[in-house]
Amino acid sequence: MFTFSVRLQGNFVIGRGDKTNTIYFIDFGMSTRYRDPATLVHNPQRTSATRRGTTRYASINNHLGYQLSRRDDLESLGYVLMYFLRGSLPWQGLKVVSRRQKYQRILERKQAAVPDALCRGFPPEFLQYFTHVSSLRFEEAPDYA
């Protein structure tokens, strides 16, 4: 067993000391297979899926009740990275009266958040990332390179 000093941020652990540039993903509890392990055929898209995960980082498709795929994982990861860079996201701190209204307002803010506004002031690769992720279809494999 190895140990290292860390700072916790949601389901990510960021190293300290000589591990400062390392981010560890620590919770795969909601992971699902996106394709059949025997046939390697991609699972079909469903609707009416329940919302999963942390609302702050949830993809727009997650808010809308669509089954999640690799594109949604990458959209959520993009929100996490922008949170790390910016220190906050435009849909944080909304004044609402109910949890339902909170989810609706966050969805509206995400839908209105143009990637270049979200990424303004940061390297252009972040805008390229969001542009690529938002162009993906449900079954499409992301260009990880």
Side-chain angles (χ1 to χ4, degrees):
M1 179 177 163
F2 78 95
T3 60
F4 49 92
S5 178
V6 298
R7 178 178 71 226
L8 185 62
Q9 179 63 285
N11 291 331
F12 298 89
V13 180
I14 303 169
R16 289 194 174 169
D18 63 338
K19 301 287 187 184
T20 320
N21 295 325
T22 305
I23 298 175
Y24 301 89
F25 299 85
I26 62 169
D27 184 355
F28 294 95
M30 294 189 308
S31 298
T32 59
R33 295 184 189 272
Y34 67 90
R35 61 185 182 183
D36 183 284
T39 65
L40 301 182
V41 173
H42 201 289
N43 295 335
Q45 185 173 16
R46 297 184 328 245
T47 55
S48 301
T50 54
R51 188 172 34 244
R52 303 179 71 174
T54 306
T55 305
R56 178 185 297 168
Y57 309 118
S59 70
I60 291 172
N61 288 321
N62 192 350
H63 282 276
L64 295 173
Y66 293 115
Q67 180 178 353
L68 306 180
S69 71
R70 294 170 285 181
R71 67 177 178 197
D72 300 292
D73 293 339
L74 293 175
E75 182 181 337
S76 293
L77 176 60
Y79 293 147
V80 169
L81 295 174
M82 292 312 299
Y83 174 78
F84 285 159
L85 288 169
R86 297 169 50 111
S88 67
L89 293 168
W91 43 88
Q92 284 183 253
L94 301 173
K95 305 295 182 217
V96 295
V97 295
S98 69
R99 180 166 288 222
R100 183 183 182 127
Q101 185 185 43
K102 174 184 173 184
Y103 292 144
Q104 183 61 35
R105 296 273 311 280
I106 289 173
L107 170 61
E108 291 166 1
R109 285 280 177 99
K110 285 179 183 176
Q111 289 174 321
V114 180
D116 44 308
L118 184 64
C119 301
R120 187 171 292 123
F122 297 100
E125 289 81 6
F126 289 99
L127 178 58
Q128 292 169 356
Y129 176 89
F130 276 102
T131 301
H132 174 66
V133 169
S134 67
S135 73
L136 293 171
R137 294 180 316 275
F138 175 76
E139 296 181 3
E140 191 172 358
D143 178 0
Y144 292 110

